[in-house]
């Protein structure tokens, strides 16, 4: 079984390299080595090889490249599959590419012009209906929202 239930990378809108390296580690509790046939399904997933051998009572790691270069904003899901005979192990993997987004900071001031202890607030996106909670601390909250109204 792999140590990870899923392997993802998030890439912010602000640019930069949209490549990430992640590791999937497989464990073998048996008394004989196991060779796993590997495949990656998904437009952003790349494996260095199509097999890995996990030693008896040991572990073996596989390096997964998540490359979202040139991908549109949104989720880019996939699956890494490891097979040996009847045994099939699937690890969910992929990337999230953030749309053009900005930090919005809201400060709540009382009548005396000082920050007040706001309990909660929300930013509402009229176009999509999305609601972004504002986690206030000492009268100020910052939330990251996609470009819009």
């Amino acid at each position: 079984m792999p140590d990870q239930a899923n392997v993802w990378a998030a890439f912010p809108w602000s640019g930069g390299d949209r490549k990430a390296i992640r590791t999937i580690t497989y464990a073998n509790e048996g008394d004989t080595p196991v060779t796993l046939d590997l495949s990656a399904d998904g437009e952003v997933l790349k494996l260095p090889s199509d097999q890995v051998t996990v030693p008896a009572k040991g572990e073996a790691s596989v390096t997964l490249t998540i490359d979202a270069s040139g991908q549109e904003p949104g989720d880019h899901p996939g699956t890494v599959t490891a097979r040996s005979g009847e045994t099939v192990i699937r690890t969910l993997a992929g990337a999230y590419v953030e749309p053009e987004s900005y930090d919005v900071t809201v400060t709540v001031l009382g009548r005396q012009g000082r920050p007040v202890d706001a309990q909660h607030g929300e930013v509402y996106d009229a176009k999509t209906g999305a609601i972004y909670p504002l986690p206030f601390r000492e009268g100020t909250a910052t939330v990251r929202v996609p470009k819009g109204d």
Side-chain angles (χ1 to χ4, degrees):
M1 294 290 288
D3 286 344
Q4 308 79 8
N6 60 66
V7 183
W8 279 78
F11 301 102
W13 172 77
S14 56
D17 191 21
R18 288 190 176 164
K19 288 184 184 178
I21 303 296
R22 299 290 188 263
T23 302
I24 301 173
T25 302
Y26 296 96
N28 176 6
E29 296 178 5
D31 294 326
T32 59
V34 174
T35 298
L36 299 171
D37 294 320
L38 302 172
S39 63
D41 299 314
E43 58 192 7
V44 299
L45 305 177
K46 294 178 180 49
L47 291 166
S49 115
D50 59 359
Q51 281 190 336
V52 64
T53 299
V54 186
K57 307 261 188 237
E59 295 181 345
S61 295
V62 175
T63 302
L64 175 68
T65 300
I66 301 173
D67 185 355
S69 302
Q71 297 295 326
E72 292 293 319
D75 288 319
H76 299 276
T79 306
V80 175
T81 303
R83 296 178 194 272
S84 178
E86 297 291 317
T87 302
V88 178
I89 302 165
R90 290 184 182 87
T91 303
L92 301 178
Y96 172 73
V97 177
E98 181 183 50
E100 184 175 349
S101 298
Y102 299 92
D103 289 337
V104 174
T105 300
V106 177
T107 301
V108 179
L109 301 176
R111 291 185 180 173
Q112 291 78 28
R114 292 184 299 243
V116 296
D117 234 0
Q119 296 295 318
H120 63 282
E122 297 174 337
V123 172
Y124 175 72
D125 185 333
K127 192 179 290 184
T128 66
I131 297 173
Y132 302 91
L134 291 170
F136 283 98
R137 177 178 268 178
E138 297 178 12
T140 301
T142 300
V143 64
R144 188 142 178 97
V145 296
K147 178 182 175 182
D149 299 328

